[in-house]
Amino acid sequence: MSASSPDSRPPSIGRRTLLGAAAVATPAVLGVATPAAAAPSPAAAASARKKPRALPGGGDLGPNVIVFDPSTPGIQARLDQVFRQQESAQFGTGRYALLFKPGTYNGLNAQLGFYTSIAGLGLSPDDTTINGDVTVDAGWFSGNATQNFWRSAENLALVPVNGTNRWAVAQAAPFRRMHVRGGLNLSPDGYGWASGGYIADSRIDGQVGPYSQQQWYTRDSAIGSWLNGVWNMVFSGVEGAPAQSFPNPPYTTLGTTPISREKPFLYLQGNDYRVFLPEKRTNARGVTWGNGTPRGTSLPLSQFYVARPGVSAATLNQALAEGLHLLLTPGIYHLDRPIQVNRAGTVVLGLGYATLIPDGGATAVQVADVDGVRLAGFLVDAGPVNSATLLEIGPRGASRDHSANPTTVQDVFVRIGGAGAGKATTSMVINSRHTIVDHTWVWRADHGEGVGWETNRADYGVVVNGDDVLATGLFVEHFNKYDVQWNGQRGRTIFFQNEKAYDAPNQAAIQNGSIKGYAAYKVGDGVTTHEGWGLGSYCYYNVNPSIVQHHGFAAPVRSGVRFHNLLVVSLGGQGQYECVINDTGSPTSGTSTVPSTVVSYP
């Protein structure tokens, strides 16, 4: 969000590595050898040498997954140690998952820095109770929370010490499957800047106070009350949500979420780790875990290849080919070829924001046109050689019906630049029908290392070619051309947050034929049915404030293409919008940073 960041950076944190598959070992055979056994054919011998040994499932979760139980000594000291390392390590290499076995923990304050995930290991959040807080604040950045990215809290019950838990985050910081027995404050101490965020499958017994939060999306949850709104507050399937009132207050409220399926999560059954796979819900409302055992299926860890940083893409693909799922433990994974997900029902689950970096222009992940793939909880970081795409869901032309068992992409984040120069023509391409993209932040970096109009060139953020795709919680920012280009039929988006690229050098650099600037969200000219609720685009052309953006949204004018509750904002007058959608909506006004809105279109 903000274009400035602190100069200081903590030292990088070492990571253990795991080498690829071990060499094949030939077992000795006791007894007298027959002539055939003593002298295998050359072809058979060559085949035996080349065939890799089957990879094991399950195993240790590695050094950066830290597991606590109520009797663990020194929990607070260990939490504080991780926080000191990660608090300001915005582009560092440390990655951590902090896991709490079921039980009750007293007097803790788990402060979360970058690339840190905290989670309970029960089937329900109420299985793991912290009498204390899970805190995100912004002391590292002078009380500005707009860069509190890449962290998460999941599957815990909290009893906050002072009655209210602080969760002052920006993008890529999900609050999932949480039970707060009190209130939730979404702003930093002192109520400074904040720009988030996302809540799902959570119960907050008290009041949620956004205060300075510019926008927020809450899905399939229950809240005591909601305090205020700044620009764009969106709710779907939320018990206790405020009534529809956009633009004043700026609440977009849907009674249900059309389709949802919660993120997979790790839990303990006795002493054994399993991964729970929540079932799909239609017209969903409220939490999934409130009444007994959640609905879904589970897999033992023995059916997962537990990957460590340093493992090769070839080994990951071998594990998938052998029928294993992938559990990516915290760390950084360099890929010289795509991870190929070809089997229906495959789960790829990251812990502690495991990060995939494609080298040499590779694509990081490619998913076949199959049912029920679940991608969750990892970051894709573009490499210095341009990738045509970074994440592909389905091949070009994919057309199979996946309505009964869609692919889900959840808490999968994409970054181009920031940690170093990176390039990608298109970040995420959705070709498979019925895909659900549930909370993503696709970000061309506006600060950090390797940042410049051509240095971290990335023309398109998310391109949707598949039909019947649903996006719930879509954050896409700063791309050189279209941030979102939606070509598929019957697409739906509930909540969209966008900033146009800060660093455009001049008007000509963003000119789109006869149109001033590329829309943040473009619906293809051939689309006949599309719908969106609660969509916002902001401009902050700080290199050249004279730049004019004609509109934030572009779509064919048809009765089946409908939008509800749109806004555009000029941040401090750094650039201006002439319209909101197509040629409709008032221009933004000078330096006032007041949204221009359209309640219904057409």
mmCIF file with all atom_site columns, all heavy atoms in Angstrom, residues 429-442:
data_model
loop_
_atom_site.group_PDB
_atom_site.id
_atom_site.type_symbol
_atom_site.label_atom_id
_atom_site.label_alt_id
_atom_site.label_comp_id
_atom_site.label_asym_id
_atom_site.label_entity_id
_atom_site.label_seq_id
_atom_site.pdbx_PDB_ins_code
_atom_site.Cartn_x
_atom_site.Cartn_y
_atom_site.Cartn_z
_atom_site.occupancy
_atom_site.B_iso_or_equiv
_atom_site.pdbx_formal_charge
_atom_site.auth_seq_id
_atom_site.auth_comp_id
_atom_site.auth_asym_id
_atom_site.auth_atom_id
_atom_site.pdbx_PDB_model_num
ATOM 1   N N   . VAL A 1 429 ? -3.922  -17.144 -13.982 1.00 0.00 ? 429 VAL A N   1
ATOM 2   C CA  . VAL A 1 429 ? -4.868  -17.410 -15.059 1.00 0.00 ? 429 VAL A CA  1
ATOM 3   C C   . VAL A 1 429 ? -5.821  -18.512 -14.600 1.00 0.00 ? 429 VAL A C   1
ATOM 4   O O   . VAL A 1 429 ? -5.373  -19.589 -14.173 1.00 0.00 ? 429 VAL A O   1
ATOM 5   C CB  . VAL A 1 429 ? -4.160  -17.850 -16.355 1.00 0.00 ? 429 VAL A CB  1
ATOM 6   C CG1 . VAL A 1 429 ? -5.174  -18.150 -17.452 1.00 0.00 ? 429 VAL A CG1 1
ATOM 7   C CG2 . VAL A 1 429 ? -3.194  -16.779 -16.826 1.00 0.00 ? 429 VAL A CG2 1
ATOM 8   N N   . ILE A 1 430 ? -7.126  -18.238 -14.680 1.00 0.00 ? 430 ILE A N   1
ATOM 9   C CA  . ILE A 1 430 ? -8.138  -19.218 -14.288 1.00 0.00 ? 430 ILE A CA  1
ATOM 10  C C   . ILE A 1 430 ? -8.859  -19.667 -15.556 1.00 0.00 ? 430 ILE A C   1
ATOM 11  O O   . ILE A 1 430 ? -9.663  -18.920 -16.137 1.00 0.00 ? 430 ILE A O   1
ATOM 12  C CB  . ILE A 1 430 ? -9.156  -18.618 -13.297 1.00 0.00 ? 430 ILE A CB  1
ATOM 13  C CG1 . ILE A 1 430 ? -8.448  -17.926 -12.124 1.00 0.00 ? 430 ILE A CG1 1
ATOM 14  C CG2 . ILE A 1 430 ? -10.126 -19.694 -12.817 1.00 0.00 ? 430 ILE A CG2 1
ATOM 15  C CD1 . ILE A 1 430 ? -7.667  -18.833 -11.232 1.00 0.00 ? 430 ILE A CD1 1
ATOM 16  N N   . ASN A 1 431 ? -8.563  -20.883 -15.996 1.00 0.00 ? 431 ASN A N   1
ATOM 17  C CA  . ASN A 1 431 ? -9.213  -21.439 -17.177 1.00 0.00 ? 431 ASN A CA  1
ATOM 18  C C   . ASN A 1 431 ? -10.303 -22.453 -16.841 1.00 0.00 ? 431 ASN A C   1
ATOM 19  O O   . ASN A 1 431 ? -11.233 -22.645 -17.622 1.00 0.00 ? 431 ASN A O   1
ATOM 20  C CB  . ASN A 1 431 ? -8.181  -22.106 -18.088 1.00 0.00 ? 431 ASN A CB  1
ATOM 21  C CG  . ASN A 1 431 ? -7.225  -21.106 -18.728 1.00 0.00 ? 431 ASN A CG  1
ATOM 22  O OD1 . ASN A 1 431 ? -7.645  -20.049 -19.187 1.00 0.00 ? 431 ASN A OD1 1
ATOM 23  N ND2 . ASN A 1 431 ? -5.945  -21.430 -18.743 1.00 0.00 ? 431 ASN A ND2 1
ATOM 24  N N   . SER A 1 432 ? -10.189 -23.126 -15.705 1.00 0.00 ? 432 SER A N   1
ATOM 25  C CA  . SER A 1 432 ? -11.155 -24.167 -15.346 1.00 0.00 ? 432 SER A CA  1
ATOM 26  C C   . SER A 1 432 ? -12.480 -23.565 -14.901 1.00 0.00 ? 432 SER A C   1
ATOM 27  O O   . SER A 1 432 ? -12.518 -22.599 -14.127 1.00 0.00 ? 432 SER A O   1
ATOM 28  C CB  . SER A 1 432 ? -10.608 -25.043 -14.222 1.00 0.00 ? 432 SER A CB  1
ATOM 29  O OG  . SER A 1 432 ? -9.602  -25.899 -14.693 1.00 0.00 ? 432 SER A OG  1
ATOM 30  N N   . ARG A 1 433 ? -13.565 -24.163 -15.347 1.00 0.00 ? 433 ARG A N   1
ATOM 31  C CA  . ARG A 1 433 ? -14.897 -23.723 -14.956 1.00 0.00 ? 433 ARG A CA  1
ATOM 32  C C   . ARG A 1 433 ? -15.136 -23.958 -13.462 1.00 0.00 ? 433 ARG A C   1
ATOM 33  O O   . ARG A 1 433 ? -14.549 -24.851 -12.855 1.00 0.00 ? 433 ARG A O   1
ATOM 34  C CB  . ARG A 1 433 ? -15.965 -24.462 -15.756 1.00 0.00 ? 433 ARG A CB  1
ATOM 35  C CG  . ARG A 1 433 ? -15.973 -24.166 -17.240 1.00 0.00 ? 433 ARG A CG  1
ATOM 36  C CD  . ARG A 1 433 ? -17.083 -24.950 -17.932 1.00 0.00 ? 433 ARG A CD  1
ATOM 37  N NE  . ARG A 1 433 ? -18.404 -24.550 -17.435 1.00 0.00 ? 433 ARG A NE  1
ATOM 38  C CZ  . ARG A 1 433 ? -19.524 -25.259 -17.654 1.00 0.00 ? 433 ARG A CZ  1
ATOM 39  N NH1 . ARG A 1 433 ? -19.469 -26.396 -18.333 1.00 0.00 ? 433 ARG A NH1 1
ATOM 40  N NH2 . ARG A 1 433 ? -20.683 -24.834 -17.184 1.00 0.00 ? 433 ARG A NH2 1
ATOM 41  N N   . HIS A 1 434 ? -15.984 -23.116 -12.877 1.00 0.00 ? 434 HIS A N   1
ATOM 42  C CA  . HIS A 1 434 ? -16.482 -23.254 -11.504 1.00 0.00 ? 434 HIS A CA  1
ATOM 43  C C   . HIS A 1 434 ? -15.406 -23.071 -10.435 1.00 0.00 ? 434 HIS A C   1
ATOM 44  O O   . HIS A 1 434 ? -15.652 -23.348 -9.258  1.00 0.00 ? 434 HIS A O   1
ATOM 45  C CB  . HIS A 1 434 ? -17.178 -24.612 -11.305 1.00 0.00 ? 434 HIS A CB  1
ATOM 46  C CG  . HIS A 1 434 ? -18.315 -24.835 -12.250 1.00 0.00 ? 434 HIS A CG  1
ATOM 47  N ND1 . HIS A 1 434 ? -18.192 -25.641 -13.363 1.00 0.00 ? 434 HIS A ND1 1
ATOM 48  C CD2 . HIS A 1 434 ? -19.572 -24.305 -12.283 1.00 0.00 ? 434 HIS A CD2 1
ATOM 49  C CE1 . HIS A 1 434 ? -19.347 -25.634 -14.027 1.00 0.00 ? 434 HIS A CE1 1
ATOM 50  N NE2 . HIS A 1 434 ? -20.200 -24.829 -13.401 1.00 0.00 ? 434 HIS A NE2 1
ATOM 51  N N   . THR A 1 435 ? -14.214 -22.624 -10.812 1.00 0.00 ? 435 THR A N   1
ATOM 52  C CA  . THR A 1 435 ? -13.170 -22.381 -9.819  1.00 0.00 ? 435 THR A CA  1
ATOM 53  C C   . THR A 1 435 ? -13.633 -21.326 -8.811  1.00 0.00 ? 435 THR A C   1
ATOM 54  O O   . THR A 1 435 ? -14.297 -20.350 -9.178  1.00 0.00 ? 435 THR A O   1
ATOM 55  C CB  . THR A 1 435 ? -11.879 -21.913 -10.512 1.00 0.00 ? 435 THR A CB  1
ATOM 56  O OG1 . THR A 1 435 ? -11.427 -22.946 -11.394 1.00 0.00 ? 435 THR A OG1 1
ATOM 57  C CG2 . THR A 1 435 ? -10.780 -21.597 -9.505  1.00 0.00 ? 435 THR A CG2 1
ATOM 58  N N   . ILE A 1 436 ? -13.272 -21.528 -7.536  1.00 0.00 ? 436 ILE A N   1
ATOM 59  C CA  . ILE A 1 436 ? -13.528 -20.542 -6.491  1.00 0.00 ? 436 ILE A CA  1
ATOM 60  C C   . ILE A 1 436 ? -12.188 -19.960 -6.060  1.00 0.00 ? 436 ILE A C   1
ATOM 61  O O   . ILE A 1 436 ? -11.304 -20.697 -5.598  1.00 0.00 ? 436 ILE A O   1
ATOM 62  C CB  . ILE A 1 436 ? -14.242 -21.164 -5.281  1.00 0.00 ? 436 ILE A CB  1
ATOM 63  C CG1 . ILE A 1 436 ? -15.594 -21.762 -5.686  1.00 0.00 ? 436 ILE A CG1 1
ATOM 64  C CG2 . ILE A 1 436 ? -14.441 -20.118 -4.182  1.00 0.00 ? 436 ILE A CG2 1
ATOM 65  C CD1 . ILE A 1 436 ? -16.259 -22.561 -4.578  1.00 0.00 ? 436 ILE A CD1 1
ATOM 66  N N   . VAL A 1 437 ? -12.025 -18.664 -6.240  1.00 0.00 ? 437 VAL A N   1
ATOM 67  C CA  . VAL A 1 437 ? -10.842 -17.964 -5.738  1.00 0.00 ? 437 VAL A CA  1
ATOM 68  C C   . VAL A 1 437 ? -11.272 -17.255 -4.460  1.00 0.00 ? 437 VAL A C   1
ATOM 69  O O   . VAL A 1 437 ? -11.982 -16.247 -4.506  1.00 0.00 ? 437 VAL A O   1
ATOM 70  C CB  . VAL A 1 437 ? -10.292 -16.964 -6.771  1.00 0.00 ? 437 VAL A CB  1
ATOM 71  C CG1 . VAL A 1 437 ? -9.057  -16.262 -6.222  1.00 0.00 ? 437 VAL A CG1 1
ATOM 72  C CG2 . VAL A 1 437 ? -9.969  -17.671 -8.088  1.00 0.00 ? 437 VAL A CG2 1
ATOM 73  N N   . ASP A 1 438 ? -10.870 -17.799 -3.334  1.00 0.00 ? 438 ASP A N   1
ATOM 74  C CA  . ASP A 1 438 ? -11.329 -17.314 -2.035  1.00 0.00 ? 438 ASP A CA  1
ATOM 75  C C   . ASP A 1 438 ? -10.169 -16.685 -1.287  1.00 0.00 ? 438 ASP A C   1
ATOM 76  O O   . ASP A 1 438 ? -9.379  -17.372 -0.644  1.00 0.00 ? 438 ASP A O   1
ATOM 77  C CB  . ASP A 1 438 ? -11.930 -18.467 -1.227  1.00 0.00 ? 438 ASP A CB  1
ATOM 78  C CG  . ASP A 1 438 ? -12.335 -18.044 0.173   1.00 0.00 ? 438 ASP A CG  1
ATOM 79  O OD1 . ASP A 1 438 ? -12.962 -16.976 0.315   1.00 0.00 ? 438 ASP A OD1 1
ATOM 80  O OD2 . ASP A 1 438 ? -12.014 -18.783 1.132   1.00 0.00 ? 438 ASP A OD2 1
ATOM 81  N N   . HIS A 1 439 ? -10.059 -15.404 -1.413  1.00 0.00 ? 439 HIS A N   1
ATOM 82  C CA  . HIS A 1 439 ? -9.039  -14.575 -0.777  1.00 0.00 ? 439 HIS A CA  1
ATOM 83  C C   . HIS A 1 439 ? -7.670  -14.743 -1.428  1.00 0.00 ? 439 HIS A C   1
ATOM 84  O O   . HIS A 1 439 ? -6.920  -15.690 -1.157  1.00 0.00 ? 439 HIS A O   1
ATOM 85  C CB  . HIS A 1 439 ? -8.921  -14.843 0.729   1.00 0.00 ? 439 HIS A CB  1
ATOM 86  C CG  . HIS A 1 439 ? -8.030  -13.825 1.399   1.00 0.00 ? 439 HIS A CG  1
ATOM 87  N ND1 . HIS A 1 439 ? -7.033  -14.168 2.293   1.00 0.00 ? 439 HIS A ND1 1
ATOM 88  C CD2 . HIS A 1 439 ? -7.980  -12.480 1.301   1.00 0.00 ? 439 HIS A CD2 1
ATOM 89  C CE1 . HIS A 1 439 ? -6.424  -13.072 2.714   1.00 0.00 ? 439 HIS A CE1 1
ATOM 90  N NE2 . HIS A 1 439 ? -6.991  -12.037 2.127   1.00 0.00 ? 439 HIS A NE2 1
ATOM 91  N N   . THR A 1 440 ? -7.354  -13.804 -2.271  1.00 0.00 ? 440 THR A N   1
ATOM 92  C CA  . THR A 1 440 ? -6.011  -13.725 -2.836  1.00 0.00 ? 440 THR A CA  1
ATOM 93  C C   . THR A 1 440 ? -5.564  -12.270 -2.839  1.00 0.00 ? 440 THR A C   1
ATOM 94  O O   . THR A 1 440 ? -6.396  -11.360 -2.876  1.00 0.00 ? 440 THR A O   1
ATOM 95  C CB  . THR A 1 440 ? -5.968  -14.295 -4.264  1.00 0.00 ? 440 THR A CB  1
ATOM 96  O OG1 . THR A 1 440 ? -4.607  -14.377 -4.707  1.00 0.00 ? 440 THR A OG1 1
ATOM 97  C CG2 . THR A 1 440 ? -6.746  -13.438 -5.253  1.00 0.00 ? 440 THR A CG2 1
ATOM 98  N N   . TRP A 1 441 ? -4.263  -12.064 -2.755  1.00 0.00 ? 441 TRP A N   1
ATOM 99  C CA  . TRP A 1 441 ? -3.676  -10.749 -3.006  1.00 0.00 ? 441 TRP A CA  1
ATOM 100 C C   . TRP A 1 441 ? -2.621  -10.929 -4.076  1.00 0.00 ? 441 TRP A C   1
ATOM 101 O O   . TRP A 1 441 ? -1.610  -11.617 -3.872  1.00 0.00 ? 441 TRP A O   1
ATOM 102 C CB  . TRP A 1 441 ? -3.050  -10.148 -1.745  1.00 0.00 ? 441 TRP A CB  1
ATOM 103 C CG  . TRP A 1 441 ? -2.529  -8.748  -1.943  1.00 0.00 ? 441 TRP A CG  1
ATOM 104 C CD1 . TRP A 1 441 ? -3.101  -7.748  -2.671  1.00 0.00 ? 441 TRP A CD1 1
ATOM 105 C CD2 . TRP A 1 441 ? -1.334  -8.189  -1.391  1.00 0.00 ? 441 TRP A CD2 1
ATOM 106 N NE1 . TRP A 1 441 ? -2.344  -6.595  -2.607  1.00 0.00 ? 441 TRP A NE1 1
ATOM 107 C CE2 . TRP A 1 441 ? -1.255  -6.844  -1.828  1.00 0.00 ? 441 TRP A CE2 1
ATOM 108 C CE3 . TRP A 1 441 ? -0.326  -8.688  -0.567  1.00 0.00 ? 441 TRP A CE3 1
ATOM 109 C CZ2 . TRP A 1 441 ? -0.203  -6.003  -1.470  1.00 0.00 ? 441 TRP A CZ2 1
ATOM 110 C CZ3 . TRP A 1 441 ? 0.720   -7.864  -0.203  1.00 0.00 ? 441 TRP A CZ3 1
ATOM 111 C CH2 . TRP A 1 441 ? 0.775   -6.522  -0.650  1.00 0.00 ? 441 TRP A CH2 1
ATOM 112 N N   . VAL A 1 442 ? -2.869  -10.358 -5.232  1.00 0.00 ? 442 VAL A N   1
ATOM 113 C CA  . VAL A 1 442 ? -1.962  -10.452 -6.374  1.00 0.00 ? 442 VAL A CA  1
ATOM 114 C C   . VAL A 1 442 ? -1.372  -9.058  -6.544  1.00 0.00 ? 442 VAL A C   1
ATOM 115 O O   . VAL A 1 442 ? -2.077  -8.102  -6.874  1.00 0.00 ? 442 VAL A O   1
ATOM 116 C CB  . VAL A 1 442 ? -2.729  -10.916 -7.628  1.00 0.00 ? 442 VAL A CB  1
ATOM 117 C CG1 . VAL A 1 442 ? -1.792  -11.049 -8.812  1.00 0.00 ? 442 VAL A CG1 1
ATOM 118 C CG2 . VAL A 1 442 ? -3.430  -12.250 -7.352  1.00 0.00 ? 442 VAL A CG2 1
#
